[in-house]
Amino acid sequence: MQDKVVLITGGARRVGAAICRMLHARGARVMVHFRSSVNEARELQAELNGLRPESVAITQANLLNVAHLPTLVSETVGHFGRLDVLVNNASSFFPTPVGDFSEEQWEDLMGTNLKTPLFLSQAAAPHLRKTEGCIVNIVDIHADRPMKNYVIYNAAKGGLVALTRSLARELGPEVRVNGVAPGAILWPEDEAWSDDLARHRIVNTTLLKRVGEPDDIARAVRFLVEDAPYVTGQILNVDGGRSVHL
C-alpha cells in the first residue's frame, strides 16, 4: 500500500474513518469524502497528516448529484497523481415500512447505496485499470437476511451485492471488485436502536455473542485491498457468524 491512493466515500467518521486510518497506517495516501461532517473530516485529516505530512486530503460532495461523481475522481487524481483503490462506503440508512415510504426516500436510499457506487466506479474505472487497482463496496448482511421495516434499504444493498459481482466481470482482469458485509458493528444513530433489549436480541443471533468493532471492517477491507490478489467478485461477511445462525 506504500504511496498508493485510496478514495473513500463517507470516510470522515464511524466505519469510514476506521478504514481510512487502517489503510493510511499501511502507507496509503487517502482522499476522504464527506457530505456534512466537515469538522470530523478536518480532524481526521489533521490527525493523519500529523503522522505523515500531505498524505490525506478531504473533499465534500452530495453523492446524490451524479454529475459531480466524476469530479471526485478527477480531484483525487489531480491531487495525488493516481488512483489505486475506491471504497464505496457512504450509505443512507433509515426505515421504510411498506405503506409508509415515499419516492424521495427511494431516491435517497437507492441513490447512496446503489446508484452512487455504480456511477463512481464507472468514473474511477479508467484510472483503476492503469494501476491494476481494486474496488471494495461496503454491503450489509441484510442484503441476504432482510430486516423488517427496511424494505428499500434491503433492496438497495441486495442490488449492491449484484453490482459487485457484475463489476468484477466487467472490469477484470485489470481491476478486482469485492464487497464487505458488516453485521452488528456500530449501532445506528437514532432512537429506534437505543433499546438495550433489542440490541441484546441481535447480539444473541451472532455465534460470537458480541458486537464487532469498526476495525473489524477496516481489517477486512485491508485484506481485500492488500492481501487478496486472486480474489474478485466475492462478498466477505464480517458479522460474528450471524449470517449462518439457524
Side-chain angles (χ1 to χ4, degrees), residues 12-85:
R13 52 197 298 270
R14 291 170 64 86
V15 169
I19 297 170
C20 288
R21 289 186 177 98
M22 179 70 66
L23 298 183
H24 182 269
R26 300 296 297 172
R29 294 175 289 168
V30 184
M31 178 65 81
V32 181
H33 157 267
F34 67 95
R35 184 183 63 178
S36 56
S37 302
V38 59
N39 292 332
E40 292 91 340
R42 287 173 176 167
E43 289 171 4
L44 181 63
Q45 181 186 29
E47 171 194 335
L48 298 182
N49 279 338
L51 299 173
R52 201 165 71 248
E54 306 300 324
S55 58
V56 175
I58 62 175
T59 183
Q60 190 276 337
N62 178 0
L63 297 182
L64 296 180
N65 181 1
V66 172
H68 188 72
L69 298 181
T71 304
L72 284 180
V73 175
S74 62
E75 283 180 1
T76 303
V77 175
H79 188 86
F80 290 115
R82 59 186 291 159
L83 179 62
D84 298 270
V85 181

Side-chain angles (χ1 to χ4, degrees), residues 186-208:
L186 286 175
W187 301 112
E189 296 176 315
D190 66 65
E191 293 183 0
W193 292 84
S194 62
D195 182 6
D196 288 338
L197 183 60
R199 292 184 178 188
H200 177 75
R201 283 197 298 267
I202 291 173
V203 171
N204 202 44
T205 63
T206 71
L207 303 186
L208 299 182

Side-chain angles (χ1 to χ4, degrees), residues 43-224:
E43 289 171 4
L44 181 63
Q45 181 186 29
E47 171 194 335
L48 298 182
N49 279 338
L51 299 173
R52 201 165 71 248
E54 306 300 324
S55 58
V56 175
I58 62 175
T59 183
Q60 190 276 337
N62 178 0
L63 297 182
L64 296 180
N65 181 1
V66 172
H68 188 72
L69 298 181
T71 304
L72 284 180
V73 175
S74 62
E75 283 180 1
T76 303
V77 175
H79 188 86
F80 290 115
R82 59 186 291 159
L83 179 62
D84 298 270
V85 181
L86 169 63
V87 181
N88 287 307
N89 167 74
S91 171
S92 293
F93 176 81
F94 50 83
T96 52
V98 173
D100 191 30
F101 58 74
S102 65
E103 185 175 3
E104 182 181 6
Q105 291 173 321
W106 167 274
E107 295 293 343
D108 188 338
L109 289 165
M110 284 290 178
T112 58
N113 290 292
L114 182 56
K115 188 175 182 180
T116 291
L118 171 60
F119 281 88
L120 192 54
S121 296
Q122 177 174 252
H127 303 281
L128 294 174
R129 283 193 169 107
K130 290 178 183 178
T131 59
E132 295 188 346
C134 66
I135 298 171
V136 180
N137 295 322
I138 305 302
V139 194
D140 196 304
I141 63 166
H142 295 298
D144 294 320
R145 299 173 62 89
M147 183 167 38
K148 186 174 176 59
N149 294 327
Y150 286 79
V151 60
I152 299 177
Y153 175 82
N154 296 333
K157 288 300 191 183
L160 186 55
V161 169
L163 176 62
T164 300
R165 293 168 178 156
S166 294
L167 285 176
R169 293 203 66 181
E170 294 291 327
L171 301 182
E174 299 92 346
V175 180
R176 296 181 300 109
V177 186
N178 293 291
V180 175
I185 301 296
L186 286 175
W187 301 112
E189 296 176 315
D190 66 65
E191 293 183 0
W193 292 84
S194 62
D195 182 6
D196 288 338
L197 183 60
R199 292 184 178 188
H200 177 75
R201 283 197 298 267
I202 291 173
V203 171
N204 202 44
T205 63
T206 71
L207 303 186
L208 299 182
K209 306 303 179 187
R210 60 181 174 84
V211 174
E213 300 290 339
D215 273 355
D216 292 317
I217 304 305
R219 290 187 190 99
V221 173
R222 187 207 60 77
F223 165 72
L224 290 172

